[in-house]
Amino acid sequence: MKMKLEGQVEEVVNKKVTRRGFLKGMGGLSMAALMAGSPMLKYFAMASPEEAQKELVSKWIASTCQGCTSWCPVQVKVINGRAVALRGNPYSKANHGEICPRPHLALQQVYDPDRIKVPMKRTNPKKGRNEDPRFVPITWEEAMDMIAEKMMELRASNETHKFVLFRGRYSYMRDIIYSALPKIFGSPNGISHSAICAEAEKFGAYYTEGYWDYRDYDLENTRYVLSWGADPLASNRQVPHAISIWKKVKKQAKIAVVDPRLSATAVKADEWLPVIPGEDGALATAIAHVILVEGLWNREFVGDFVDGKNAFVPGKTVDESSFKENYTYGLVKWWNIELKDRTPEWAEKICGVSAEQIRRVATDFAKAGPYAISWLSPGASMQVRGGYTAMITHALNGLVGSTDHEGGVVQKTKVPAYSIPDIKPYQDEMAKKNSKKPKIDQRGTLHFPSLKKGKSGGGVVTNNAADAIIKEDPYDVKVAIAYWANFTFSCSGTDRWERALQKIPFFVHITTHASEMSHFADIVLPAAHQLFEKWSFLKSKQNLYGYASLTQPVIEPMWDVRQDETEIPWLLAEKLAQKGFDNLYRYFKEQFKDPETGKAPTNSKEFAVTAVKMFTRSCWDPTDKNYGKYGEKLKGWADFVEKGVWNSHRFKPGKIREKYKTKTGKFEFYSLTLKEALEKHAKKHHTTVDAVLEATQYTARGEQAFVPHYEPAYRWGDPSEYPFIFFEHRSRLNREGRSANCLWYQAHKNADPGDENWDDVLKINPVDAQKLGLKNGDKIKVVSPTGSIVVKAKLWEGVRPGTVTKCYGQGHWAYGRIAAFDFHKRIPRGGNNNVILPPDYDRLSGSTARHGGVTRVKIEKISQA
Amino acid sequence: MGKVQYCMVIDLEACVGCSACDIACKVENNVPASFAWSNHIIETVGKFPDVKYRYIPTLCNHCSNAPCVAACPTTAMHKLDNGITMHDPSKCIGCAACRIACPYDVIYFNDKEPLVREEFLEPLIPECTSSQPGIQKKLGVPVGYYNPEREATLPGIRPRGVVEKCTFCDHRLAKGLPPACVEACPANARIFGDRNDPNSEVSKVLAKNHARVLKPEKGTEPNVLYIGEF
């Protein structure tokens, strides 16, 4: 026995640890005692002598964390080829070397024993949640051949538009797989996840100041933070920057958090405004009302009454000519149409926040202006009627002059990067014709205006694609590829996605894990992990710095994986070319050249690096026209690889306000920009704006549609049957729903206030729990009009009576053996909120309405704790 | 210079309760998922809407008057010259007297094979996914992210039958690096150093602030101190 064990030891230590050192480290412990019983213990590592420690080759290598969309520059500590630790990238001016808990968790993703190692082929032709796909391993060659074959069938039948590319999370290599691939092949269907993310937020900034993007926040200089469901200490955006500066912010500023839940940021705030979910608009309009009535608007930005006397008296209209505006448009119209009656007393009854607190917050916020931040988040906007709430909450920044101002809310510094070369020369007649066919998600139809950047059908309606596929409207989808997505888990109304995927005759999933979406796939392709195994780059901003941050293979890929956005389209292009359609391959070969050597890529790996170099050239190549124009001058590609991040100049507020990209060029309180967009959409459908509002579930009619205004919360479920308003929130440990198979995620889940380790709890106020006879840990069924889940009850004072809340992230029935309670029996650990959340939308932005208490629920006790 | 006495000051005002410390500690020290050398106490007090939430990061207090050391029958648990309460698994008989003696519940007993997860013994999908033994075979380590640097002063993974706990990352201190939790804290809420050195940052912070310790009534003289309010 002993001899055998010693042999194993030698094999394991692999010359890194000498036998003498190993035994010394063992001390007085019996080797046999240690090794007995477990085959794993042969890998037991014991204290090693100093020489062995010296043999460890350790290096920090730059990459980027995509655990949330802060996209923080990080460094990975690699010892003898393995990733063993993470830290913030010290070269980054955005997160200045800090990281939140998420990057650490990524180690348990890349080294997850449940990761897919090789391409898999389904052998059970029947698809369904209760069908075992019976996956078997195949080679990349076989897999790509099968996919290309199916795609060529669409070319043969002139149905290339029936190909869909679903995109979940992405890097800025995205346009190769998401845009070039479908368009050159001949499909309009690049369907992004964006509308389940936060598009409604952008609606607010766009229809007030013409900016369709996330804002940045000057926390360094602010005197007031008014958060609308934003939880920057825990989740999107700029988490590490917010954490590192919060003590300073708390000292110099007041912090007020509007959230029905005592969030991670609310616990570190001065004021908690536990709003009734979905009624944020009442609170926000009342704050605007108070600011005007009390004469606390910013004169420099907004302007003033000609006679200097404040005529904003509750209930009274004001003559438009009596007020002269500076950087804004339509203040008096806004007052007359919407704000004059929105008193705190009116709002109190609707939103559940006291008039006294509304007045105090409004007054303090405005007095701090323009060094004040009204921080809009998905919580207050990804609601059925959230588009206008997004507008009001952002318009508060206009009132106090904090938009594009020091200490306030700002846009961004350009990050110079190129996208894909022109694809048009590579589109044949079929591709040109078919890629102009309507997209599968029904965007731009009467019920889905999806007015991204003012254009009817300008944005995606991600979640509606499932219904459209089921109904074959506008057509039947025949081949689909999804990457870095898990819509059967991450979209509300998960059952519809199960049915939709079941219906697609040939579905390919590119993923690291066998997820809920993979379960319906014909082919599963194992993806490289973005942080450790992939070439790409990200553009983002934090702390008023824009940046481009690289991801690179910091380790040899663990398994037979490929990079999703570059290598896989290349391999597919090769196969399509072999089968007679070489346009995509020629496009890659002819249009992608290494900026340093001028060489075309000869294989998928070279293609990945070449593309990153091309796209990021402005950051590091002195011969590029934008080199140094917007920020740092990195000294060549090697320098970029070494540092991993390019930082912009610090954003200087004050210029954008001179000419906003709105219809009027002003910050619009009366949005002519929105008016034009709505009128165009109405005209397209030969109807009126009022009819559009009716079709999109909004209550406003007439002029109210063009100003930020209050809309009553829209909820599913009759209160008599479903007594509780359900709302969900995010976890500081979620890597966008992909970390539930990490042991550390489960073991530290109670870092989310109110949550429990290794569990998934519905948080309910003790007052309500008592009425239902519920105690901590009781097993309960949570039932909405569209679904039910089984979780545990958690009695918690941090949630408003009458409402119940649960974190998103748990409830996987696939993904792995930690994430799922029983992977093979498809029993989830906890419950997925998206099972009970009905599939509804803020149709003006196309967004999925996952917030705002979109559904009511009832709670049934199953068993005692 | 007198004797070194390492000490950690945790600024609760800066702490946001994110748990990065807890996870970074596990990463650095190869701590099993079910243990938490770095941990936290949480409580929610008050009634809606006047509710307060508190989060207090915890770890071994490296007490100057350490009950675990006094309780240990074999000197496995012992004090180092720099004030660290250290454990030598080769002398540990697994009696767990230290665990019982510690008023802070920060000592963990390996009652099963460390880092072995039964869930991961077999591949999830045969031939398509890996397993923990599969990763061990490929990489030659117990878990993919195994940190060999921990082996400098302690078994990289502590065996079944012995206790384990925070060592203030003594192996990092030896290289002039702060403990992993200190480096990982994005709020910079942890200050580490020699409290016997009047010029150290901890000494300066302690001079300026009213610092508290957990369970002072136990007379353990902890070397983890807290300032500010969460």
Side-chain angles (χ1 to χ4, degrees):
Chain A
M1 179 74 181
K2 197 176 175 192
M3 286 305 291
K4 188 182 164 202
L5 284 165
E6 284 172 1
Q8 286 171 338
V9 168
E10 277 170 352
E11 171 197 322
V12 169
V13 297
N14 193 24
K15 293 172 195 161
K16 292 292 184 296
V17 180
T18 65
R19 234 178 75 72
R20 187 187 61 80
F22 185 91
L23 291 168
K24 189 178 158 198
M26 296 290 287
L29 285 169
S30 140
M31 170 98 71
L34 277 176
M35 296 299 180
S38 168
M40 292 190 189
L41 286 179
K42 67 181 181 178
Y43 301 107
F44 219 93
M46 301 303 285
S48 50
E50 278 174 27
E51 311 89 75
Q53 285 287 310
K54 277 180 200 155
E55 279 184 42
L56 301 176
V57 182
S58 167
K59 193 176 181 216
W60 287 95
I61 305 174
S63 192
T64 311
C65 175
Q66 292 193 263
C68 78
T69 43
S70 296
W71 293 340
C72 288
V74 300
Q75 289 183 332
V76 183
K77 186 177 185 179
V78 179
I79 297 184
N80 295 359
R82 283 185 304 105
V84 301
L86 282 105
R87 69 179 182 193
N89 185 336
Y91 294 112
S92 167
K93 293 180 178 174
N95 63 333
H96 32 88
E98 306 294 352
I99 51 171
C100 82
R102 287 181 186 80
H104 304 295
L105 293 174
L107 289 168
Q108 289 195 324
Q109 292 182 311
V110 68
Y111 293 120
D112 189 339
D114 285 344
R115 263 187 87 180
I116 302 168
K117 296 195 295 186
V118 291
M120 309 196 292
K121 183 177 79 175
R122 180 184 205 91
T123 58
N124 178 1
K126 281 192 202 155
K127 291 181 183 175
R129 180 157 167 185
N130 293 320
E131 295 291 339
D132 180 349
R134 297 208 294 268
F135 287 123
V136 295
I138 53 170
T139 64
W140 277 94
E141 177 74 18
E142 288 170 295
M144 300 321 283
D145 193 71
M146 282 177 70
I147 300 165
E149 191 64 37
K150 291 289 175 187
M151 289 177 73
M152 288 307 286
E153 286 172 17
L154 296 184
R155 294 276 319 170
S157 59
N158 189 17
E159 294 177 301
T160 52
H161 56 289
K162 296 184 177 179
F163 170 81
V164 177
L165 194 291
F166 291 115
R167 178 182 87 187
R169 177 47 58 216
Y170 55 79
S171 79
Y172 282 89
M173 310 315 292
R174 63 192 187 183
D175 286 340
I176 293 168
I177 187 169
Y178 174 76
S179 186
L181 166 61
K183 283 178 190 160
I184 291 174
F185 176 70
S187 171
N189 288 310
I191 301 294
S192 147
H193 82 284
S194 306
I196 61 166
C197 188
E199 290 301 280
E201 252 193 82
K202 299 175 184 170
F203 188 91
Y206 187 80
Y207 290 108
T208 49
E209 65 171 73
Y211 178 63
W212 190 275
D213 204 342
Y214 302 113
R215 286 74 50 215
D216 202 352
Y217 307 94
D218 187 6
L219 290 170
E220 177 102 38
N221 297 300
T222 198
R223 303 281 163 74
Y224 205 103
V225 178
L226 172 57
S227 142
W228 296 92
D231 195 9
L233 298 184
S235 61
N236 270 344
R237 330 202 92 72
Q238 48 184 268
V239 178
H241 171 58
I243 291 176
S244 69
I245 203 170
W246 211 249
K247 184 179 173 183
K248 179 180 183 321
V249 174
K250 197 139 189 291
K251 276 212 173 91
Q252 75 192 21
K254 272 200 176 168
I255 302 162
V257 174
V258 180
D259 200 314
R261 168 188 70 114
L262 188 69
S263 68
T265 305
V267 305
K268 299 292 282 184
D270 300 291
E271 302 253 12
W272 176 37
L273 297 87
V275 70
I276 293 171
E279 301 292 6
D280 312 73
L283 177 58
T285 49
I287 288 174
H289 174 96
V290 171
I291 291 170
L292 293 182
V293 170
E294 299 296 326
L296 296 171
W297 70 89
N298 182 276
R299 302 297 193 273
E300 190 219 338
F301 189 72
V302 182
D304 204 354
F305 286 98
V306 179
D307 63 3
K309 282 185 204 157
N310 185 5
F312 293 124
V313 177
K316 297 208 167 143
T317 52
V318 170
D319 175 9
E320 283 183 38
S321 67
S322 67
F323 198 99
K324 189 171 181 306
E325 291 181 79
N326 287 345
Y327 293 99
T328 64
Y329 173 80
L331 178 73
V332 175
K333 280 183 201 283
W334 188 24
W335 168 264
N336 290 341
I337 295 167
E338 174 65 16
L339 295 180
K340 67 179 176 11
D341 300 317
R342 301 304 188 202
T343 63
E345 286 70 21
W346 164 82
E348 176 182 276
K349 290 181 205 127
I350 294 165
C351 72
V353 176
S354 75
E356 184 196 346
Q357 192 176 22
I358 296 172
R359 280 214 163 74
R360 184 172 65 239
V361 168
T363 307
D364 290 350
F365 170 74
K367 282 183 177 167
Y371 299 86
I373 291 167
S374 175
W375 191 321
L376 163 59
S377 81
S381 58
M382 298 292 280
Q383 307 179 353
V384 176
R385 293 166 177 160
Y388 287 104
T389 317
M391 286 177 75
I392 319 166
T393 47
H394 190 64
L396 295 177
N397 292 310
L399 278 184
V400 303
S402 65
T403 174
D404 197 34
H405 194 281
E406 188 183 4
V409 178
V410 303
Q411 296 189 9
K412 64 180 176 187
T413 303
K414 186 178 169 69
V415 176
Y418 294 103
S419 184
I420 51 170
D422 187 12
I423 58 164
K424 284 198 192 79
Y426 297 87
Q427 283 183 305
D428 62 12
E429 282 311 309
M430 191 191 295
K432 274 183 196 150
K433 193 162 159 258
N434 287 350
S435 62
K436 284 193 185 112
K437 292 220 158 101
K439 294 182 192 243
I440 190 66
D441 61 344
Q442 301 175 341
R443 69 184 73 179
T445 55
L446 176 64
H447 292 84
F448 288 107
S450 199
L451 302 173
K452 180 179 178 179
K453 297 186 180 178
K455 191 182 163 214
S456 169
V460 67
V461 194
T462 314
N463 204 6
N464 189 53
D467 291 311
I469 291 167
I470 292 166
K471 289 178 199 150
E472 302 186 8
D473 178 9
Y475 42 75
D476 55 323
V477 170
K478 291 197 166 167
V479 177
I481 300 177
Y483 85 95
W484 214 346
N486 192 12
F487 294 158
T488 20
F489 182 83
S490 61
C491 287
S492 52
T494 51
D495 58 312
R496 299 164 315 111
W497 278 98
E498 292 182 15
R499 275 182 282 137
L501 293 181
Q502 218 168 311
K503 193 174 162 59
I504 298 174
F506 189 76
F507 174 55
V508 179
H509 195 210
I510 305 171
T511 179
T512 55
H513 285 72
S515 73
E516 286 78 1
M517 211 164 181
S518 318
H519 194 76
F520 296 87
D522 295 274
I523 299 282
V524 179
L525 300 175
H529 190 286
Q530 64 78 210
L531 201 157
F532 304 95
E533 300 170 330
K534 175 177 168 180
W535 280 110
S536 79
F537 80 105
L538 279 307
K539 292 190 287 181
S540 190
K541 57 184 179 287
Q542 299 183 46
N543 191 25
L544 272 66
Y545 289 96
Y547 57 93
S549 187
L550 268 186
T551 76
Q552 56 180 316
V554 300
I555 57 169
E556 282 296 312
M558 269 301 281
W559 311 109
D560 190 15
V561 298
R562 298 290 183 275
Q563 301 170 51
D564 45 14
E565 293 169 314
T566 48
E567 282 198 88
I568 291 175
W570 171 278
L571 295 172
L572 191 53
E574 281 182 335
K575 272 286 165 216
L576 287 169
Q578 283 171 20
K579 291 180 189 294
F581 178 72
D582 69 352
N583 297 33
L584 189 62
Y585 184 68
R586 281 193 291 109
Y587 171 70
F588 290 160
K589 282 293 276 189
E590 292 166 10
Q591 295 298 320
F592 287 74
K593 299 270 156 62
D594 187 310
E596 288 183 307
T597 63
K599 276 189 190 160
T602 60
N603 59 45
S604 66
K605 280 197 165 52
E606 285 179 17
F607 178 59
V609 187
T610 301
V612 185
K613 288 176 84 170
M614 279 172 64
F615 294 178
T616 60
R617 187 175 178 179
S618 308
C619 300
W620 56 266
D621 182 353
T623 67
D624 184 82
K625 64 176 194 275
N626 288 324
Y627 181 70
K629 198 168 163 189
Y630 303 99
E632 290 174 343
K633 293 178 177 178
L634 296 174
K635 296 182 185 78
W637 171 247
D639 193 31
F640 191 24
V641 170
E642 171 69 23
K643 291 198 171 77
V645 63
W646 170 95
N647 298 291
S648 78
H649 300 306
R650 193 168 198 275
F651 182 86
K652 282 196 189 102
K655 275 188 193 154
I656 285 167
R657 56 170 57 191
E658 298 295 336
K659 188 156 178 51
Y660 285 111
K661 287 178 181 164
T662 54
K663 193 100 177 90
T664 59
K666 305 278 186 181
F667 188 100
E668 295 181 344
F669 294 126
Y670 180 94
S671 181
L672 284 179
T673 309
L674 178 56
K675 188 175 183 180
E676 184 180 75
L678 284 169
E679 283 172 349
K680 275 188 184 166
H681 181 73
K683 197 176 167 194
K684 178 171 149 188
H685 295 286
H686 312 291
T687 187
T688 62
V689 169
D690 279 358
V692 170
L693 291 166
E694 191 177 349
T696 55
Q697 318 258 39
Y698 278 93
T699 63
R701 298 292 180 268
E703 287 284 276
Q704 207 184 13
F706 314 128
V707 295
H709 67 269
Y710 166 69
E711 289 271 342
Y714 182 93
R715 305 194 206 288
W716 289 50
D718 188 321
S720 61
E721 188 183 354
Y722 301 97
F724 296 100
I725 297 169
F726 174 82
F727 68 98
E728 71 163 358
H729 66 87
R730 292 293 178 265
S731 169
R732 64 195 345 154
L733 301 182
N734 271 2
R735 293 180 57 84
E736 299 190 317
R738 295 185 290 272
S739 48
N741 209 52
C742 302
L743 293 162
W744 298 327
Y745 174 88
Q746 301 291 350
H748 295 280
K749 190 68 179 69
N750 74 3
D752 292 316
D755 275 6
E756 296 288 332
N757 293 340
W758 286 97
D759 214 336
D760 191 22
V761 294
L762 183 81
K763 294 175 284 270
I764 180 168
N765 191 280
V767 172
D768 291 326
Q770 199 181 7
K771 286 180 202 158
L772 297 176
L774 290 179
K775 295 207 165 56
N776 259 338
D778 285 353
K779 201 173 177 185
I780 52 172
K781 190 174 181 184
V782 187
V783 185
S784 81
T786 56
S788 68
I789 52 174
V790 175
V791 293
K792 301 257 186 70
K794 171 70 184 285
L795 279 55
W796 196 49
E797 291 287 354
V799 61
R800 165 180 278 282
T803 72
V804 290
T805 187
K806 197 174 77 61
C807 190
Y808 169 73
Q810 296 274 41
H812 280 281
W813 53 265
Y815 219 83
R817 287 167 288 192
I818 302 298
F821 181 78
D822 188 326
F823 180 90
H824 294 292
K825 291 182 182 157
R826 294 172 283 281
I827 301 170
R829 182 184 296 284
N832 178 6
N833 291 348
N834 285 321
V835 173
I836 56 172
L837 285 171
D840 213 333
Y841 305 86
D842 162 42
R843 291 157 186 270
L844 291 185
S845 65
S847 299
T848 283
R850 63 172 190 264
H851 290 299
V854 63
T855 190
R856 293 179 159 275
V857 295
K858 62 182 167 187
I859 298 164
E860 295 163 6
K861 184 151 110 181
I862 295 176
S863 58
Q864 297 274 10
Chain B
M1 284 299 269
K3 194 177 138 221
V4 170
Q5 174 60 62
Y6 283 127
C7 142
M8 188 183 294
V9 179
I10 301 179
D11 180 355
L12 296 177
E13 195 183 342
C15 173
V16 302
C18 74
S19 81
C21 46
D22 295 352
I23 300 170
C25 169
K26 281 198 161 93
V27 174
E28 177 66 33
N29 295 297
N30 308 315
V31 179
S34 53
F35 298 174
W37 292 11
S38 168
N39 205 349
H40 51 262
I41 298 165
I42 42 177
E43 60 174 355
T44 306
V45 294
K47 294 256 173 226
F48 178 91
D50 299 313
V51 194
K52 290 274 174 241
Y53 173 85
R54 294 200 192 96
Y55 181 107
I56 304 167
T58 57
L59 62 159
C60 171
N61 280 292
H62 297 275
C63 306
S64 292
N65 184 19
C68 58
V69 173
C72 179
T74 69
T75 71
M77 197 68 87
H78 59 286
K79 294 297 284 185
L80 299 180
D81 285 346
N82 56 18
I84 289 175
T85 304
M86 195 64 191
H87 184 251
D88 181 351
S90 69
K91 292 182 182 167
C92 182
I93 56 168
C95 69
C98 53
R99 283 198 67 197
I100 297 160
C102 172
Y104 304 107
D105 199 20
V106 292
I107 303 173
Y108 296 85
F109 179 66
N110 284 287
D111 61 351
K112 48 186 177 190
E113 309 300 350
L115 293 190
V116 173
R117 298 296 307 192
E118 283 177 8
E119 299 95 331
F120 292 145
L121 286 176
E122 298 295 328
L124 177 69
I125 303 170
E127 299 175 76
C128 295
T129 66
S130 189
S131 61
Q132 196 172 357
I135 286 184
Q136 290 169 337
K137 194 173 170 194
K138 187 175 166 77
L139 299 175
V141 287
V143 286
Y145 42 85
Y146 174 77
N147 176 22
E149 291 183 340
R150 179 62 270 192
E151 296 168 11
T153 66
L154 200 68
I157 293 171
R158 282 62 55 187
R160 181 177 187 165
V162 304
V163 300
E164 62 176 76
K165 65 160 201 71
C166 160
T167 69
F168 265 169
C169 284
D170 62 305
H171 61 298
R172 287 173 57 91
L173 299 178
K175 293 182 188 170
L177 298 169
C181 59
V182 175
E183 182 170 282
C185 178
N188 294 304
R190 291 175 182 235
I191 307 146
F192 187 84
D194 175 13
R195 67 190 297 186
N196 286 346
D197 173 4
N199 294 317
S200 70
E201 201 190 344
V202 278
S203 293
K204 287 175 189 164
V205 168
L206 288 174
K208 267 193 278 181
N209 292 275
H210 169 65
R212 294 102 59 201
V213 297
L214 293 175
K215 300 188 182 177
E217 70 281 3
K218 298 287 182 187
T220 55
E221 299 172 42
N223 286 298
V224 174
L225 300 98
Y226 300 88
I227 59 169
E229 296 292 333
F230 188 81

